[in-house]
């Protein structure tokens, strides 16, 4: 049974993109669109072996979310895949795409929201490194507070006695 999962306009509004799914797989189809409501026959099609759950288009790219938690970045004109990345442990419910940057925001049923730079691996790595450094700084600050509190407590007892 075919389920409609989303639609978006492609580059310049001359293309209508539709995401469809069955229990066994999904597809995104590109239809020519003249702006007056006339839709032609599909000019491109991308298929995947898992249901498509979300679709977004902006600029030259299309982002697709799947039931397996993957985000796939496609070229809008040919629907050829540029990048696939597993970002969630459960199905993706929404994707948003920043035009022509490859920056994708995805929300999943695993209650997480991810931002990935699919076209620029360096930016993605930099974001991960920044998060790691921020986490390490938080741990160091917690240790510092713990140590200072334990050293200040005996001093406060002596002063108050």
């Amino acid at each position: 049974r075919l389920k409609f999962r989303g639609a978006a306009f492609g580059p310049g509004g001359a293309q209508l993109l539709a995401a469809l799914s069955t229990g066994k797989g999904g597809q995104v189809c590109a239809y020519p669109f003249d702006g007056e409501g006339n839709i032609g026959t599909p000019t491109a099609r991308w298929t995947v072996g898992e249901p498509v759950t979300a679709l977004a288009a902006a600029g030259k790219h299309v982002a697709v979310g799947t039931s397996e938690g993957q985000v796939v970045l496609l070229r809008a004109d040919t629907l050829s895949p540029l990048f696939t990345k597993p970002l969630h442990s459960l199905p993706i419910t929404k994707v948003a795409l920043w035009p022509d940057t490859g920056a994708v925001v995805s929300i999943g049923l695993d209650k997480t929201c991810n931002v990935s730079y699919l076209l620029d691996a360096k930016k993605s790595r930099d974001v991960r490194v920044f998060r790691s450094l921020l986490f390490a700084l938080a741990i160091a600050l917690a240790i510092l507070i713990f140590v200072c509190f334990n050293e200040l407590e005996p001093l406060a007892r002596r002063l108050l006695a």
Side-chain angles (χ1 to χ4, degrees):
R1 187 168 145 181
L2 199 60
K3 291 184 181 181
F4 176 74
R5 295 296 186 179
F9 288 105
Q15 192 179 45
L16 178 64
L17 302 162
L20 309 162
S21 286
T22 65
K24 297 179 182 178
Q27 61 184 349
V28 175
C29 298
Y31 300 88
F33 183 72
D34 67 3
E36 295 181 15
N38 299 316
I39 301 170
T41 58
T43 56
R45 182 178 311 228
W46 173 77
T47 58
V48 62
E50 56 201 59
V52 171
T53 56
L55 172 76
K60 301 174 189 170
H61 301 105
V62 177
V64 179
T66 72
S67 64
E68 298 298 316
Q70 293 192 69
V71 171
V72 182
L73 190 67
L74 307 171
R75 283 181 50 150
D77 55 351
T78 63
L79 296 183
S80 56
L82 297 171
F83 203 88
T84 301
K85 189 170 188 179
L87 294 175
H88 297 272
S89 59
L90 291 172
I92 292 175
T93 57
K94 186 70 177 166
V95 290
L97 185 60
W98 189 342
D100 302 326
T101 63
V104 177
V105 176
S106 60
I107 299 170
L109 287 177
D110 57 2
K111 299 179 183 177
T112 62
C113 177
N114 289 307
V115 178
S116 285
Y117 299 92
L118 299 181
L119 290 180
D120 191 341
K122 183 180 184 315
K123 276 188 183 176
S124 262
R125 190 190 77 231
D126 290 347
V127 168
R128 285 192 307 271
V129 167
F130 177 73
R131 286 181 187 160
S132 298
L133 288 174
L134 200 56
F135 180 73
L137 182 63
I139 296 286
L141 187 59
I143 291 170
L144 180 66
I145 290 170
F146 179 76
V147 168
C148 288
F149 180 74
N150 283 338
E151 288 183 10
L152 290 178
E153 187 179 354
L155 179 62
R157 283 186 187 160
R158 281 189 300 215
L159 291 175
L160 293 174

